[in-house]
């Protein structure tokens, strides 16, 4: 190569991709450093690399030579970077944190994680959507996975739950069918990340046990505003076993400290375009800002007597126990205070298994849970490539792991010493570990009596009562959203019989809902579907099931989008910013250009978003702080008009300076201003605007 050309392609002539001192492999001898102070790059064998830009060639440009082991290793590794994505819950985001017990359950369990108050148990939590692939958008209408791995002193405990307390099916035998029906249709490979298609509603309308969960997924719970504002549930009934071997039943609940909040459907659709990573970015940013997401852990504990007298079978995962029947006892808190260092190593490689329990926690005979206990272990072999996935740091327990299990792909922690079997007579020094009859995990000695048969218990047969209970527990606004969601989803179904069959189920749940959906689909309400158990139980509404009946009443953790222009009032902007930050929220600046604006006192405020890239769907509320001239100019720009139009349509609070009125006029809204549009004039009005923001949305707006 000519000297000039060679120089151009040499690394020293390019910006360095790594920060000086970036950590490489810490093991072995100290690495050499380059002349300019960087750690020298090596191959995976530790051999220093001279040229990472050009392949070894014979002549110029010359054929490439197989001698170049650095190229071969680099390309070989790249070619194998991908692993199979999870068959469900492929798209997820996770963070590290801790669990701190505040109320001991010693009376019920011997598990140290539930009896040692004040101790911080490290954990790793992964949130996910279910149906979409790894690259699907965050705001698909979908159940959210809520999986927590507690690294306890007695081994790993995985609580692999969802943000909905019930499930679609009662028996794990149906899981592959459920998931096949929900994912993209197999011939065409679409739709991606949504249930709005024939196969899903075909399966669902032929599976009445799904009706309760259908009510939940058609509610706004499946379009959460943030992973931080969701509840989580262990779903199944588990067992707690105390030191005396006595068992109680338990259901686990996660309650978000910042309260629950969802977006509205039209907003979700637009967020998916504006920022498909909306939820993961939000979690990352909150942790980076030190605003650590927090949940309370609650339990519903009950005994056999309650289980026998309860109107439903507590082993049926399509049923919940209303909080009014068994109150949720708060026993601790989870704080997510550390983001991952590497998405693949941690979020992608983490392997949750429902079978991971610790002494003092056990399983009930829920046939869904029992099936899960097989599936989760099995799936990791395919995904992570072998039986040693527990050796990967994110999956390894933080307490000692001593087994005679050995070898296999990528074995990192093989037993040392002569004995790899037991019994052996090599003694405590060389004989390796032994089982511990005093402290080892003991399964609850549940008496079993019955015939071996493939059947569904009669006690699982009522499919509509709790579906109705959920529906009647919602506010009118929430009910309207459920009706809209059903109409939307079923309108994407091509086969009329499926649409009609689904509405026939709704008749059993609520006649009014069935009529609304039928009208939305343009059909007559059909006859009720014949129920497996014809007698409906008339259950009371449970307020705990509604999000809007339990509002957070705070703007903390939320974001105000301020649309600013050059020469806008610095005094007003600073007053809004201070008040929002005082309320625990954040302010993002949206401006005509990303360079930001110069306010009337000369201060330069950098923008977080240019108006075209920062639509109002990204914010919980908006404020327009434009000058008259800028408002005039913006009134001609579609993204600026959409900013305001969408904020209004999504029931958002809109603060505005009088000079911003031109933008309202441009979208024909000047005569439709309501109590959710608040003029930002004097300091008092700014204060009242910010205190109104705690209501999150102005639901009284026309058409809500
Ligand atoms: Fe599952 C993943 C939650 C039923 C089989 N499931 C998975 C994840 C969550 C749940 C949160 C993602 C874990 C992660 O972040 O890595 N699944 C649930 C809940 C269920 C449920 C709350 C019902 C109460 N699942 C369920 C059944 C089966 C599975 C009945 C099969 C019998 N689930 C799996 C799986 C996955 C999984 C195939 C895919 C990736 C993985 O396990 O690690 O094994």
């Amino acid at each position: 190569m000519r000297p000039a050309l060679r120089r151009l392609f040499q690394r020293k002539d390019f910006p360095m991709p790594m920060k000086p001192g970036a950590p490489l492999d810490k093991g072995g001898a100290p690495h050499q450093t380059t002349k300019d102070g960087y750690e020298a790059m090596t191959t995976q064998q530790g051999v220093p690399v001279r040229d990472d830009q050009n392949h070894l060639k014979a002549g110029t440009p010359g054929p490439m030579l197989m001698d170049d082991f650095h190229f071969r290793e680099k390309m070989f590794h790249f070619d194998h970077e991908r692993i199979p994505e999870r068959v469900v819950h492929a798209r997820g985001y996770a963070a590290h944190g801790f669990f701190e017990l505040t109320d001991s359950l010693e009376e019920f369990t011997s598990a140290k994680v539930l009896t040692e108050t004040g101790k911080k148990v490290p954990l790793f939590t992964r949130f996910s959507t279910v149906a979409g692939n790894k690259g699907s958008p965050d705001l698909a209408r979908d159940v959210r996975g809520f999986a927590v791995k507690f690294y306890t002193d007695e081994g790993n405990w995985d609580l692999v739950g969802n943000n909905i307390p019930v499930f679609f099916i009662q028996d794990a035998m149906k899981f592959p069918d459920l998931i096949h029906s929900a994912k993209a249709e197999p011939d065409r490979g679409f739709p991606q990340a949504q249930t709005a298609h024939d196969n899903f509603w075909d399966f669902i309308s032929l599976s009445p046990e799904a009706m309760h969960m259908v009510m939940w997924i058609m509610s706004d719970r499946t379009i959460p505003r943030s992973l931080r504002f969701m509840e989580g549930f262990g779903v199944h009934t588990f067992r707690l076993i105390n030191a005396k071997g006595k068992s109680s039943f338990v259901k686990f609940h996660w309650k978000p400290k910042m309260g629950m909040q969802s977006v509205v459907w039209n907003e979700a659709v637009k967020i998916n375009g504006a920022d498909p990573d909306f939820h993961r970015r939000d979690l990352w940013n909150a942790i980076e800002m030190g605003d650590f997401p927090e949940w309370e852990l609650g339990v519903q504990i009950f005994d056999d007597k309650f289980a026998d007298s309860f109107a439903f079978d507590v082993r049926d995962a399509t049923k919940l126990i209303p909080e009014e029947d068994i109150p949720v006892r708060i026993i601790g808190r989870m704080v997510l205070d550390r983001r991952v260092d590497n998405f693949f190593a941690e979020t992608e490689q983490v392997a949750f298994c429902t079978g991971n329990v610790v002494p003092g926690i056990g399983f009930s005979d829920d046939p869904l849970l029992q099936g899960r206990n097989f599936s989760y272990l099995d799936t990791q072999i395919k995904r992570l490539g072998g039986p040693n996935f527990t050796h990967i740091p994110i999956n390894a327990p933080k307490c000692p792991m001593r087994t005679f299990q050995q070898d296999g792909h990528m074995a990192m922690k093989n037993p040392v010493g002569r004995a790899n079997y037991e019994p052996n007579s090599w003694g405590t020094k060389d004989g390796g570990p032994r089982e511990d009859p005093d402290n080892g995990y003991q399964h609850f000695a549940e008496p079993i009596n019955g015939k071996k048969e493939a059947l569904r218990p009669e006690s699982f047969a009522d499919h509509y009562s709790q579906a109705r209970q959920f529906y009647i527990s919602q506010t009118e606004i929430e009910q309207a959203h459920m009706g809209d969601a059903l109409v939307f989803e079923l309108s994407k179904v091509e086969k009329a019989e499926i649409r009609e069959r689904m509405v026939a189920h709704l008749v059993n749940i609520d006649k009014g809902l069935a009529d609304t959906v039928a009208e939305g689909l343009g059909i007559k309400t059909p006859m009720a579907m014949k129920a497996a158990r014809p007698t409906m139980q008339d259950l009371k509404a449970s307020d705990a099931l509604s999000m809007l009946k339990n509002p957070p009443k705070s703007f903390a953790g939320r974001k105000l989008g301020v649309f600013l222009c050059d020469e806008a009032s610095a005094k007003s902007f600073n007053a809004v910013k201070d008040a929002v930050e005082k309320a625990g929220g954040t302010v993002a600046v949206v401006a005509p250009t990303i360079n930001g604006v110069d306010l009337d006192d000369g201060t330069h405020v950098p923008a977080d978003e240019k108006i075209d890239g920062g639509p109002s769907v990204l914010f919980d509320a908006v404020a327009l702080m434009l000058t008259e001239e800028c408002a005039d100019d913006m009134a001609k720009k579609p993204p600026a008009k959409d900013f305001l139009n969408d904020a209004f349509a999504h029931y958002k609070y809109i603060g505005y300076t009088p000079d911003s009125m031109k933008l309202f006029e441009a979208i024909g809204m000047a005569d439709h201003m309501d109590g959710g549009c608040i003029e930002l004039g004097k300091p008092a009005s700014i204060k009242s605007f910010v205190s109104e923001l705690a209501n999150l949305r102005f639901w009284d707006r026309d058409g809500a």
Side-chain angles (χ1 to χ4, degrees), residues 93-97 124 283-285 287-288 292 336-342 346-347:
Y93 212 61
H96 297 268
F124 189 65
L283 188 64
W284 172 278
N285 285 345
I287 295 175
E288 284 288 274
F292 301 136
L336 298 181
D337 60 358
R338 184 159 63 88
R339 61 166 176 84
V340 295
D341 286 329
N342 183 277
E346 298 157 72
T347 312

Side-chain angles (χ1 to χ4, degrees), residues 353-663:
C353 299
T354 51
N356 289 353
V357 287
V358 291
I361 302 176
F363 313 111
S364 69
D365 292 335
D366 174 341
L368 197 74
L369 175 58
Q370 302 277 337
R372 292 179 75 192
N373 288 345
F374 163 72
S375 178
Y376 287 73
L377 185 61
D378 186 49
T379 201
Q380 313 307 348
I381 311 250
K382 168 85 178 167
R383 211 166 63 76
L384 299 170
N388 289 319
F389 64 87
T390 49
H391 298 194
I392 300 172
I394 196 70
N395 295 322
K398 297 198 192 297
C399 63
M401 170 163 81
R402 309 183 194 97
T403 93
F404 284 135
Q405 286 142 26
Q406 65 171 35
D407 301 355
H409 288 292
M410 314 289 170
M412 315 260 179
K413 295 182 180 171
N414 259 18
V416 288
R418 183 142 186 194
N420 58 355
Y421 59 92
E422 70 158 346
N424 68 52
S425 58
W426 292 99
T428 50
K429 188 159 171 280
D430 294 319
R434 281 287 191 281
E435 69 266 32
D436 181 351
D438 299 319
N439 303 307
Y441 185 91
Q442 185 161 21
H443 290 270
F444 177 62
E446 183 188 356
I448 302 288
N449 182 17
K451 284 194 249 163
K452 205 195 258 182
E453 280 173 304
L455 51 71
R456 198 72 62 88
E458 172 64 17
S459 53
F460 284 26
D462 178 342
H463 303 316
Y464 299 108
S465 300
Q466 284 206 344
R468 175 171 175 75
Q469 182 178 41
F470 180 77
Y471 183 70
I472 62 168
S473 302
Q474 307 302 307
T475 61
E476 272 180 35
I477 295 165
E478 291 168 308
Q479 288 184 343
H481 290 180
M482 291 170 71
D484 291 347
L486 279 156
V487 172
F488 174 88
E489 295 262 321
L490 294 174
S491 296
K492 297 281 179 190
V493 170
E494 291 166 13
K495 219 170 160 193
E497 297 152 51
I498 300 177
R499 299 198 287 260
E500 192 166 319
R501 203 192 299 144
M502 194 50 224
V503 183
H505 284 291
L506 299 180
V507 179
N508 284 330
I509 296 170
D510 187 84
K511 180 68 175 30
L513 175 64
D515 288 341
T516 308
V517 176
E519 193 189 332
L521 295 173
I523 58 171
K524 279 224 260 333
T525 308
M527 300 272 287
M529 180 64 67
K530 199 165 169 294
R533 173 179 287 177
T535 46
M536 281 275 288
Q537 305 180 44
D538 193 14
L539 304 174
K540 277 207 267 213
S542 161
D543 284 349
L545 301 178
S546 155
M547 288 197 290
L548 292 188
K549 286 182 191 166
N550 300 283
K553 287 267 172 233
S554 161
F555 199 66
R558 274 79 180 174
K559 205 188 248 186
L560 177 75
V562 179
F563 188 6
L564 267 187
C565 275
D566 280 335
E567 292 303 320
S569 155
K571 205 168 147 211
S572 301
F573 172 69
N574 290 329
V576 168
K577 190 166 184 286
D578 289 351
V580 168
E581 286 174 356
K582 218 163 139 207
T586 48
V587 161
V589 171
V590 181
T593 71
I594 195 62
N595 185 44
V597 297
D598 294 321
L599 299 178
D600 63 355
D601 68 350
T603 25
H604 180 75
V605 180
D608 296 288
E609 297 283 359
K610 168 174 160 54
I611 181 68
D612 312 45
S616 58
V617 293
L618 301 181
F619 312 112
D620 297 285
V622 298
L624 307 182
M625 310 191 84
L626 312 175
T627 56
E628 207 174 339
E629 190 191 345
C630 175
D632 224 8
D633 192 26
M634 288 297 128
K636 294 176 208 117
K637 304 229 169 354
K641 291 198 281 185
D642 287 350
F643 186 89
L644 182 53
N645 233 331
D646 277 346
F648 192 79
H650 301 148
Y651 316 104
K652 285 182 181 156
Y653 280 94
I654 303 169
Y656 65 97
T657 52
D659 286 346
S660 311
M661 271 312 287
K662 272 271 158 47
L663 201 51

Side-chain angles (χ1 to χ4, degrees), residues 67-351:
D67 287 11
D68 195 338
F69 54 82
H70 173 54
F71 168 80
R72 285 205 314 276
E73 180 196 83
K74 184 176 178 180
M75 202 45 69
F76 136 81
H77 204 279
F78 172 76
D79 290 345
H80 297 273
E81 272 178 12
R82 290 290 164 273
I83 61 170
E85 64 175 32
R86 289 166 174 83
V87 60
V88 279
H89 296 265
R91 183 168 178 84
Y93 212 61
H96 297 268
F98 64 85
F99 171 69
E100 188 177 14
L101 187 75
T102 46
D103 184 10
S104 170
L105 293 183
E106 200 167 352
E107 186 190 343
F108 303 104
T109 178
S110 61
K112 286 190 178 155
V113 62
L114 299 179
T115 54
E116 291 182 349
T117 53
K119 185 174 166 136
K120 289 189 175 164
V121 176
L123 54 74
F124 189 65
T125 298
R126 182 174 182 271
F127 305 101
S128 45
T129 48
V130 180
N133 67 23
K134 256 181 74 175
S136 53
D138 276 350
L139 261 157
R141 176 183 290 285
D142 202 350
V143 181
R144 297 300 183 287
F146 196 124
V148 184
K149 189 182 280 296
F150 298 79
Y151 302 95
T152 87
D153 287 348
E154 298 174 295
N156 289 352
W157 171 36
D158 292 356
L159 187 55
V160 195
N162 280 338
N163 73 332
I164 289 180
V166 289
F167 201 61
F168 291 105
I169 48 167
Q170 297 172 321
D171 190 309
M173 183 69 106
K174 299 306 302 161
F175 191 69
D177 301 294
L178 166 73
I179 299 306
H180 285 176
S181 82
K183 288 206 144 204
E185 298 191 2
D187 51 357
R188 59 212 65 195
F190 59 81
Q192 169 62 229
Q194 51 190 303
T195 52
H197 61 109
D198 284 65
N199 282 7
F200 178 73
W201 288 103
D202 188 28
F203 175 84
I204 290 295
S205 60
L206 294 170
S207 309
E209 71 206 70
M211 290 310 139
H212 186 192
M213 178 86 161
V214 163
M215 291 294 104
W216 284 81
I217 62 167
M218 291 295 103
S219 79
D220 293 344
R221 298 244 180 186
T222 44
I223 41 172
R225 151 67 177 86
S226 160
L227 302 168
R228 300 176 290 136
F229 307 153
M230 303 189 311
E231 287 187 325
F233 303 90
V235 181
H236 309 280
T237 295
F238 291 87
R239 276 185 193 282
L240 294 179
I241 305 130
N242 73 10
K244 294 188 184 131
K246 184 171 175 290
S247 151
S248 311
F249 290 119
V250 63
K251 277 184 178 283
F252 293 101
H253 296 244
W254 293 109
K255 304 251 179 207
K257 198 166 161 224
M258 291 206 171
M260 286 181 278
Q261 186 186 343
S262 282
V263 299
V264 295
W265 175 241
N266 182 268
E267 206 180 358
V269 170
K270 290 173 177 166
I271 291 173
N272 282 338
D275 184 6
D277 303 311
F278 188 67
H279 281 156
R280 49 178 63 188
R281 194 187 306 282
D282 170 88
L283 188 64
W284 172 278
N285 285 345
I287 295 175
E288 284 288 274
M289 277 169 15
D291 192 7
F292 301 136
E294 190 170 330
W295 285 260
E296 287 176 327
L297 178 64
V299 286
Q300 286 177 299
I301 299 181
F302 52 97
D303 56 14
D304 286 331
K305 203 163 144 226
F306 173 85
D308 293 342
S309 66
F310 184 53
F312 304 94
D313 198 315
V314 299
R315 294 160 297 189
D316 173 358
T318 67
K319 307 296 184 312
L320 53 78
I321 302 178
E323 293 187 23
E324 288 78 4
D325 291 359
I326 304 270
V328 174
R329 170 172 166 187
I330 300 301
I331 58 162
R333 66 186 190 121
M334 164 171 78
V335 179
L336 298 181
D337 60 358
R338 184 159 63 88
R339 61 166 176 84
V340 295
D341 286 329
N342 183 277
F343 179 83
F344 181 84
E346 298 157 72
T347 312
E348 210 45 28
Q349 292 199 118
V350 66

